[in-house]
Amino acid sequence: MIFRQVFDAVSGTYTYLLASRRGGEALIIDPVLEKVDHYIRMIRELDLKLVKAVDTHLHADHITALGALRDRTRCVTVMGEQSNVDVVSMRLSDGDTLRIEGLALQALYTPGHTDDSYCFRMEDRVFTGDTLLIRGTGRTDFQNGCPRAQYESIFNRLLTLPEETLVYPAHDYKGDTVSTIGEEKRCNPRLQVRSMDEYVDLMNNLKLSNPKMMDIAVPANQVQGMNQRDILELGWAVMAEQAKGLVGAPDIVLVDLREKTEQLRHGQIPGALHAPYEDLDEAIQPGGVLHALTAATGRRLVFYCAFGERSAMAVKAAHAAGLDTACHLHGGLDAWKKAGGPILQ
Ligand code: FE
Protein backbone atom coordinates (compact mmCIF):
# COMPACT_ATOMS: atom_id res chain seq x y z
CA MET A 1 0.00 0.00 0.00
CA ILE A 2 1.05 3.58 -0.63
CA PHE A 3 0.33 5.80 2.34
CA ARG A 4 1.48 9.42 2.62
CA GLN A 5 0.76 11.87 5.41
CA VAL A 6 1.23 15.49 4.30
CA PHE A 7 1.27 18.35 6.81
CA ASP A 8 0.03 21.88 6.21
CA ALA A 9 1.91 23.98 8.76
CA VAL A 10 -0.40 27.01 8.42
CA SER A 11 -3.57 25.22 9.53
CA GLY A 12 -1.97 22.23 11.26
CA THR A 13 -3.89 19.93 8.89
CA TYR A 14 -2.91 16.39 7.95
CA THR A 15 -3.84 15.22 4.48
CA TYR A 16 -3.63 11.54 3.56
CA LEU A 17 -2.90 10.09 0.15
CA LEU A 18 -3.74 6.40 -0.26
CA ALA A 19 -3.32 3.89 -3.05
CA SER A 20 -3.00 0.14 -3.21
CA ARG A 21 -0.07 0.19 -5.63
CA ARG A 22 2.20 2.34 -7.73
CA GLY A 23 0.47 3.10 -11.02
CA GLY A 24 -2.98 2.54 -9.49
CA GLU A 25 -5.93 4.59 -8.31
CA ALA A 26 -5.49 7.00 -5.41
CA LEU A 27 -7.71 8.66 -2.84
CA ILE A 28 -6.96 11.79 -0.84
CA ILE A 29 -8.45 12.74 2.54
CA ASP A 30 -8.76 16.35 3.76
CA PRO A 31 -6.66 18.13 1.13
CA VAL A 32 -5.75 21.81 1.68
CA LEU A 33 -6.09 24.32 -1.18
CA GLU A 34 -2.62 25.85 -0.83
CA LYS A 35 -1.04 22.42 -1.14
CA VAL A 36 -2.64 21.38 -4.43
CA ASP A 37 0.56 21.64 -6.48
CA HIS A 38 2.33 19.52 -3.88
CA TYR A 39 -0.32 16.78 -4.06
CA ILE A 40 -0.38 16.83 -7.86
CA ARG A 41 3.39 16.44 -7.93
CA MET A 42 3.26 13.51 -5.48
CA ILE A 43 0.53 11.86 -7.51
CA ARG A 44 2.54 12.25 -10.67
CA GLU A 45 5.79 11.06 -9.08
CA LEU A 46 4.09 7.95 -7.74
CA ASP A 47 2.39 7.39 -11.09
CA LEU A 48 -1.06 7.45 -9.47
CA LYS A 49 -4.47 8.41 -10.80
CA LEU A 50 -6.43 10.46 -8.29
CA VAL A 51 -10.01 9.20 -8.45
CA LYS A 52 -11.53 10.41 -5.17
CA ALA A 53 -11.05 13.42 -2.89
CA VAL A 54 -12.76 13.25 0.49
CA ASP A 55 -13.36 15.76 3.27
CA THR A 56 -14.12 14.33 6.71
CA HIS A 57 -16.29 17.40 7.46
CA LEU A 58 -16.83 21.03 6.49
CA HIS A 59 -13.60 22.63 7.65
CA ALA A 60 -13.47 25.97 9.43
CA ASP A 61 -9.73 26.49 9.55
CA HIS A 62 -8.58 26.04 5.97
CA ILE A 63 -10.01 26.05 2.48
CA THR A 64 -10.48 22.61 1.05
CA ALA A 65 -8.78 21.52 -2.17
CA LEU A 66 -11.75 19.40 -3.24
CA GLY A 67 -12.87 21.83 -5.96
CA ALA A 68 -9.34 22.47 -7.23
CA LEU A 69 -8.46 18.78 -7.36
CA ARG A 70 -11.71 18.03 -9.17
CA ASP A 71 -10.90 20.71 -11.75
CA ARG A 72 -7.37 19.45 -12.27
CA THR A 73 -7.89 15.68 -12.15
CA ARG A 74 -11.64 15.15 -12.76
CA CYS A 75 -11.72 13.14 -9.51
CA VAL A 76 -14.96 12.41 -7.69
CA THR A 77 -15.49 14.65 -4.64
CA VAL A 78 -16.90 12.91 -1.59
CA MET A 79 -18.45 13.98 1.72
CA GLY A 80 -21.18 12.78 4.02
CA GLU A 81 -24.83 13.29 3.16
CA GLN A 82 -25.14 15.84 6.00
CA SER A 83 -22.64 18.33 4.51
CA ASN A 84 -24.09 21.56 3.24
CA VAL A 85 -21.53 21.89 0.44
CA ASP A 86 -22.13 22.33 -3.27
CA VAL A 87 -19.06 20.63 -4.70
CA VAL A 88 -19.85 17.13 -3.51
CA SER A 89 -20.32 14.57 -6.22
CA MET A 90 -20.81 11.48 -4.06
CA ARG A 91 -22.44 11.54 -0.65
CA LEU A 92 -21.93 8.86 1.97
CA SER A 93 -24.08 7.56 4.79
CA ASP A 94 -23.01 5.73 7.92
CA GLY A 95 -21.72 2.25 7.07
CA ASP A 96 -21.10 2.95 3.38
CA THR A 97 -17.92 1.64 1.82
CA LEU A 98 -15.71 4.10 0.00
CA ARG A 99 -13.77 2.18 -2.64
CA ILE A 100 -10.90 2.70 -4.99
CA GLU A 101 -8.93 0.01 -6.77
CA GLY A 102 -7.58 -2.36 -4.11
CA LEU A 103 -8.74 -0.35 -1.07
CA ALA A 104 -11.98 -0.09 0.90
CA LEU A 105 -12.72 2.44 3.64
CA GLN A 106 -15.73 2.13 5.89
CA ALA A 107 -17.54 5.40 6.55
CA LEU A 108 -18.50 6.00 10.18
CA TYR A 109 -20.86 8.88 10.85
CA THR A 110 -19.41 10.51 13.96
CA PRO A 111 -21.17 13.83 14.64
CA GLY A 112 -20.05 16.05 17.49
CA HIS A 113 -17.24 18.30 16.27
CA THR A 114 -19.67 19.26 13.50
CA ASP A 115 -22.95 17.66 12.47
CA ASP A 116 -21.36 16.40 9.24
CA SER A 117 -18.26 14.69 10.68
CA TYR A 118 -17.21 11.28 9.40
CA CYS A 119 -14.36 8.95 10.29
CA PHE A 120 -13.00 6.39 7.83
CA ARG A 121 -11.77 3.00 8.89
CA MET A 122 -9.38 1.02 6.75
CA GLU A 123 -7.80 -2.26 7.84
CA ASP A 124 -5.43 -1.45 10.73
CA ARG A 125 -6.19 2.27 10.91
CA VAL A 126 -8.88 4.90 11.29
CA PHE A 127 -8.88 8.43 9.91
CA THR A 128 -10.58 10.35 12.69
CA GLY A 129 -11.00 13.81 11.16
CA ASP A 130 -11.50 16.26 14.02
CA THR A 131 -13.57 13.83 16.06
CA LEU A 132 -10.63 12.28 17.89
CA LEU A 133 -7.25 14.02 17.92
CA ILE A 134 -4.01 12.84 19.50
CA ARG A 135 -4.47 13.64 23.20
CA GLY A 136 -7.38 15.86 22.30
CA THR A 137 -10.82 15.97 20.68
CA GLY A 138 -12.28 18.40 18.16
CA ARG A 139 -14.02 21.42 19.63
CA THR A 140 -17.81 21.29 19.66
CA ASP A 141 -18.76 24.94 19.98
CA PHE A 142 -19.65 25.89 16.39
CA GLN A 143 -20.98 24.45 13.08
CA ASN A 144 -23.73 22.57 14.92
CA GLY A 145 -21.16 20.91 17.13
CA CYS A 146 -22.53 18.96 20.06
CA PRO A 147 -20.52 17.53 22.96
CA ARG A 148 -23.16 14.86 23.66
CA ALA A 149 -23.07 13.60 20.11
CA GLN A 150 -19.29 13.68 20.21
CA TYR A 151 -19.19 11.63 23.40
CA GLU A 152 -21.38 9.02 21.69
CA SER A 153 -19.23 9.07 18.56
CA ILE A 154 -16.00 8.67 20.50
CA PHE A 155 -16.96 6.37 23.37
CA ASN A 156 -19.56 4.20 21.64
CA ARG A 157 -17.93 3.97 18.22
CA LEU A 158 -14.25 4.86 17.92
CA LEU A 159 -13.17 3.47 21.28
CA THR A 160 -14.87 0.16 20.52
CA LEU A 161 -12.35 -0.46 17.70
CA PRO A 162 -9.44 -2.80 18.53
CA GLU A 163 -6.91 -1.08 20.83
CA GLU A 164 -4.08 -1.45 18.32
CA THR A 165 -6.02 0.45 15.60
CA LEU A 166 -3.86 3.33 14.40
CA VAL A 167 -5.39 6.79 14.80
CA TYR A 168 -4.68 9.32 12.06
CA PRO A 169 -6.36 12.65 12.84
CA ALA A 170 -7.03 15.63 10.54
CA HIS A 171 -5.00 17.96 12.75
CA ASP A 172 -2.18 18.16 15.18
CA TYR A 173 -0.63 21.23 16.67
CA LYS A 174 2.11 19.59 18.75
CA GLY A 175 3.97 17.51 16.17
CA ASP A 176 2.43 14.09 16.85
CA THR A 177 1.62 12.14 13.71
CA VAL A 178 -0.13 8.96 14.80
CA SER A 179 -1.54 7.27 17.88
CA THR A 180 -3.64 4.19 18.65
CA ILE A 181 -7.10 3.71 20.06
CA GLY A 182 -5.64 2.04 23.19
CA GLU A 183 -3.17 4.86 23.75
CA GLU A 184 -5.87 7.51 23.44
CA LYS A 185 -8.15 5.60 25.80
CA ARG A 186 -5.44 5.65 28.45
CA CYS A 187 -3.65 8.93 27.83
CA ASN A 188 -6.05 11.38 26.16
CA PRO A 189 -6.94 13.85 28.96
CA ARG A 190 -10.37 14.56 27.44
CA LEU A 191 -11.30 10.90 27.62
CA GLN A 192 -10.61 10.46 31.34
CA VAL A 193 -14.21 11.29 32.26
CA ARG A 194 -16.68 9.11 34.16
CA SER A 195 -19.83 10.13 32.31
CA MET A 196 -21.29 11.93 29.33
CA ASP A 197 -22.24 14.85 31.57
CA GLU A 198 -18.68 15.24 32.74
CA TYR A 199 -17.49 15.28 29.11
CA VAL A 200 -20.14 17.85 28.18
CA ASP A 201 -19.04 20.07 31.06
CA LEU A 202 -15.44 19.79 30.00
CA MET A 203 -16.19 20.68 26.38
CA ASN A 204 -18.51 23.55 27.30
CA ASN A 205 -15.82 25.19 29.39
CA LEU A 206 -12.90 25.22 26.97
CA LYS A 207 -13.37 28.94 26.17
CA LEU A 208 -11.61 28.78 22.80
CA SER A 209 -11.41 31.70 20.40
CA ASN A 210 -12.74 31.15 16.89
CA PRO A 211 -10.28 29.83 14.29
CA LYS A 212 -8.56 32.67 12.42
CA MET A 213 -9.83 31.49 9.05
CA MET A 214 -13.37 30.62 10.12
CA ASP A 215 -15.25 33.53 8.53
CA ILE A 216 -13.46 32.94 5.25
CA ALA A 217 -13.09 29.18 5.22
CA VAL A 218 -16.64 28.09 6.05
CA PRO A 219 -18.40 30.03 3.26
CA ALA A 220 -15.58 29.25 0.80
CA ASN A 221 -15.84 25.56 1.58
CA GLN A 222 -19.59 25.57 1.13
CA VAL A 223 -19.39 27.06 -2.35
CA GLN A 224 -16.54 25.62 -4.39
CA GLY A 225 -18.28 26.11 -7.72
CA MET A 226 -20.11 23.42 -9.58
CA ASN A 227 -19.19 21.96 -12.91
CA GLN A 228 -22.75 21.78 -14.04
CA ARG A 229 -23.23 25.55 -14.21
CA ASP A 230 -20.90 25.78 -17.24
CA ILE A 231 -22.58 22.81 -18.83
CA LEU A 232 -25.97 24.44 -18.43
CA GLU A 233 -24.73 27.59 -20.15
CA LEU A 234 -23.33 25.51 -23.01
CA GLY A 235 -26.79 24.00 -23.51
CA TRP A 236 -25.57 20.48 -22.72
CA ALA A 237 -27.99 19.90 -19.86
CA VAL A 238 -31.49 18.50 -19.61
CA MET A 239 -33.60 19.54 -16.64
CA ALA A 240 -35.27 16.77 -14.66
CA GLU A 241 -38.81 17.79 -15.61
CA GLN A 242 -37.94 17.63 -19.30
CA ALA A 243 -35.88 14.45 -18.88
CA LYS A 244 -38.91 12.52 -17.64
CA GLY A 245 -40.16 12.51 -21.23
CA LEU A 246 -36.96 10.83 -22.38
CA VAL A 247 -37.43 7.53 -20.57
CA GLY A 248 -37.92 4.90 -23.25
CA ALA A 249 -37.31 7.37 -26.12
CA PRO A 250 -35.71 5.48 -29.02
CA ASP A 251 -33.14 8.14 -29.93
CA ILE A 252 -31.44 8.53 -26.54
CA VAL A 253 -29.42 6.37 -24.16
CA LEU A 254 -29.54 7.17 -20.46
CA VAL A 255 -26.16 6.37 -18.92
CA ASP A 256 -25.83 5.90 -15.16
CA LEU A 257 -22.30 6.82 -14.02
CA ARG A 258 -22.68 5.92 -10.35
CA GLU A 259 -21.18 3.01 -8.50
CA LYS A 260 -23.08 -0.21 -7.85
CA THR A 261 -23.46 0.61 -4.15
CA GLU A 262 -25.11 3.94 -4.98
CA GLN A 263 -27.51 2.23 -7.39
CA LEU A 264 -28.50 -0.31 -4.78
CA ARG A 265 -29.07 2.33 -2.13
CA HIS A 266 -30.80 5.01 -4.17
CA GLY A 267 -32.34 3.14 -7.11
CA GLN A 268 -31.97 4.00 -10.79
CA ILE A 269 -33.82 5.42 -13.78
CA PRO A 270 -35.60 2.63 -15.70
CA GLY A 271 -33.83 1.55 -18.86
CA ALA A 272 -30.51 3.22 -18.03
CA LEU A 273 -27.22 1.70 -19.07
CA HIS A 274 -24.59 1.36 -16.36
CA ALA A 275 -21.14 2.79 -17.21
CA PRO A 276 -19.22 3.68 -14.03
CA TYR A 277 -17.53 7.07 -14.04
CA GLU A 278 -14.10 5.56 -13.35
CA ASP A 279 -14.23 3.65 -16.67
CA LEU A 280 -15.60 6.57 -18.65
CA ASP A 281 -12.43 7.60 -20.48
CA GLU A 282 -12.16 4.19 -22.04
CA ALA A 283 -15.87 3.97 -22.89
CA ILE A 284 -16.04 7.24 -24.84
CA GLN A 285 -12.89 6.78 -26.92
CA PRO A 286 -13.14 5.20 -30.39
CA GLY A 287 -13.51 1.48 -29.77
CA GLY A 288 -15.13 2.09 -26.37
CA VAL A 289 -18.65 0.86 -25.66
CA LEU A 290 -20.35 4.28 -25.52
CA HIS A 291 -18.51 5.55 -28.55
CA ALA A 292 -19.52 2.47 -30.53
CA LEU A 293 -23.11 2.70 -29.37
CA THR A 294 -23.59 6.30 -30.52
CA ALA A 295 -21.65 5.73 -33.74
CA ALA A 296 -23.75 2.69 -34.64
CA THR A 297 -27.18 4.05 -33.72
CA GLY A 298 -26.83 7.84 -33.73
CA ARG A 299 -28.45 7.86 -30.30
CA ARG A 300 -27.76 10.74 -27.94
CA LEU A 301 -26.02 10.00 -24.63
CA VAL A 302 -27.73 11.44 -21.55
CA PHE A 303 -25.40 10.95 -18.58
CA TYR A 304 -26.58 11.04 -15.02
CA CYS A 305 -25.10 10.51 -11.57
CA ALA A 306 -26.14 11.37 -8.00
CA PHE A 307 -26.13 15.18 -8.15
CA GLY A 308 -25.00 16.06 -11.66
CA GLU A 309 -21.33 16.68 -10.92
CA ARG A 310 -19.77 13.52 -12.30
CA SER A 311 -22.12 13.64 -15.26
CA ALA A 312 -21.13 17.26 -15.99
CA MET A 313 -17.49 16.17 -16.15
CA ALA A 314 -18.53 13.24 -18.31
CA VAL A 315 -20.28 15.56 -20.80
CA LYS A 316 -17.13 17.66 -21.14
CA ALA A 317 -15.03 14.55 -21.69
CA ALA A 318 -17.51 13.12 -24.19
CA HIS A 319 -17.55 16.32 -26.25
CA ALA A 320 -13.74 16.36 -26.18
CA ALA A 321 -13.84 12.79 -27.51
CA GLY A 322 -16.05 13.85 -30.41
CA LEU A 323 -19.42 12.75 -29.02
CA ASP A 324 -20.93 16.15 -29.62
CA THR A 325 -24.57 15.40 -28.88
CA ALA A 326 -23.84 14.15 -25.33
CA CYS A 327 -25.68 15.89 -22.52
CA HIS A 328 -26.55 15.22 -18.89
CA LEU A 329 -29.31 15.34 -16.34
CA HIS A 330 -28.88 18.60 -14.42
CA GLY A 331 -28.92 17.95 -10.67
CA GLY A 332 -28.67 14.20 -11.16
CA LEU A 333 -30.88 11.57 -9.59
CA ASP A 334 -31.52 13.91 -6.67
CA ALA A 335 -33.28 16.40 -9.00
CA TRP A 336 -34.96 13.51 -10.84
CA LYS A 337 -36.52 12.24 -7.62
CA LYS A 338 -37.63 15.73 -6.61
CA ALA A 339 -39.33 16.09 -10.02
CA GLY A 340 -41.20 12.82 -9.39
CA GLY A 341 -39.34 10.82 -12.04
CA PRO A 342 -39.83 7.03 -11.98
CA ILE A 343 -37.29 4.98 -10.02
CA LEU A 344 -36.39 1.36 -10.33
CA GLN A 345 -35.41 0.14 -6.86
FE1 FE B 1 -12.68 20.79 11.93
Side-chain angles (χ1 to χ4, degrees):
M1 181 177 66
I2 293 173
F3 174 77
R4 296 286 182 277
Q5 184 176 29
V6 181
F7 187 57
D8 174 51
V10 179
S11 61
T13 303
Y14 284 127
T15 299
Y16 301 94
L17 180 71
L18 309 171
S20 65
R21 63 176 178 96
R22 214 185 148 91
E25 292 184 352
L27 171 145
I28 198 164
I29 301 176
D30 288 331
V32 176
L33 182 61
E34 287 77 7
K35 284 267 188 287
V36 167
D37 288 339
H38 184 99
Y39 308 140
I40 298 276
R41 195 178 62 242
M42 274 176 79
I43 288 163
R44 200 185 322 117
E45 286 170 354
L46 295 167
D47 192 23
L48 299 172
K49 180 177 193 265
L50 185 69
V51 294
K52 282 178 186 159
V54 188
D55 266 350
T56 52
H57 62 289
L58 178 66
H59 295 287
D61 56 353
H62 67 268
I63 297 179
T64 176
L66 250 58
L69 286 170
R70 170 204 62 194
D71 293 345
R72 289 180 59 175
T73 69
R74 291 207 277 120
C75 68
V76 174
T77 48
V78 186
M79 288 185 84
E81 61 184 353
Q82 294 81 1
S83 296
N84 176 23
V85 172
D86 67 343
V87 71
V88 180
S89 158
M90 180 186 285
R91 291 181 182 271
L92 300 170
S93 311
D94 185 49
D96 278 352
T97 303
L98 178 60
R99 281 180 204 284
I100 61 165
E101 175 207 349
L103 293 180
L105 284 76
Q106 188 200 358
L108 307 171
Y109 179 46
T110 50
H113 168 58
T114 62
D115 62 355
D116 71 334
S117 290
Y118 275 75
C119 294
F120 293 94
R121 186 184 179 194
M122 186 185 78
E123 298 165 14
D124 62 346
R125 62 198 64 196
V126 59
F127 301 96
T128 54
D130 289 353
T131 302
L132 177 61
L133 306 175
I134 299 174
R135 309 297 190 263
T137 57
R139 60 194 296 174
T140 54
D141 55 340
F142 57 71
Q143 288 183 279
N144 303 319
C146 169
R148 284 184 189 279
Q150 194 178 48
Y151 180 93
E152 288 277 349
S153 295
I154 294 175
F155 282 84
N156 299 337
R157 299 216 64 186
L158 293 177
L159 298 190
T160 63
L161 297 174
E163 298 235 329
E164 61 278 14
T165 308
L166 298 168
V167 170
Y168 284 102
H171 289 291
D172 193 84
Y173 310 99
K174 310 173 300 297
D176 294 313
T177 54
V178 61
S179 179
T180 66
I181 289 291
E183 200 179 308
E184 290 311 306
K185 248 186 211 172
R186 287 188 300 279
C187 309
N188 189 323
R190 297 244 176 110
L191 307 186
Q192 310 311 310
V193 290
R194 281 165 308 231
S195 66
M196 183 190 274
D197 288 340
E198 201 179 317
Y199 185 75
V200 172
D201 265 1
L202 177 75
M203 294 308 286
N204 284 342
N205 288 297
L206 292 177
K207 300 189 173 64
L208 300 166
S209 52
N210 279 346
K212 287 191 285 286
M213 285 280 286
M214 184 169 165
D215 295 338
I216 300 166
V218 171
N221 286 336
Q222 284 174 320
V223 185
Q224 288 274 300
M226 295 176 80
N227 269 307
Q228 50 194 312
R229 280 198 201 113
D230 316 345
I231 298 294
L232 192 61
E233 278 165 25
L234 287 163
W236 298 343
V238 184
M239 306 312 279
E241 200 53 58
Q242 183 191 354
K244 283 197 282 183
L246 298 178
V247 175
D251 53 343
I252 66 121
V253 189
L254 274 161
V255 181
D256 187 344
L257 297 168
R258 295 168 307 148
E259 298 183 2
K260 266 260 162 319
T261 48
E262 295 177 277
Q263 292 186 322
L264 288 172
R265 186 183 284 270
H266 302 289
Q268 50 191 308
I269 298 179
L273 197 80
H274 186 217
Y277 178 76
E278 60 267 29
D279 303 330
L280 181 78
D281 282 341
E282 210 176 302
I284 57 177
Q285 295 310 320
V289 54
L290 295 177
H291 199 281
L293 186 70
T294 43
T297 64
R299 289 159 81 187
R300 183 181 200 194
L301 298 176
V302 184
F303 293 110
Y304 80 91
C305 61
F307 299 96
E309 283 295 285
R310 272 168 282 179
S311 56
M313 293 193 280
V315 172
K316 276 189 202 161
H319 279 254
L323 304 176
D324 51 17
T325 59
C327 64
H328 86 132
L329 172 59
H330 187 86
L333 195 70
D334 181 53
W336 176 265
K337 284 186 176 174
K338 284 175 185 153
I343 289 287
L344 204 69
Q345 203 68 48

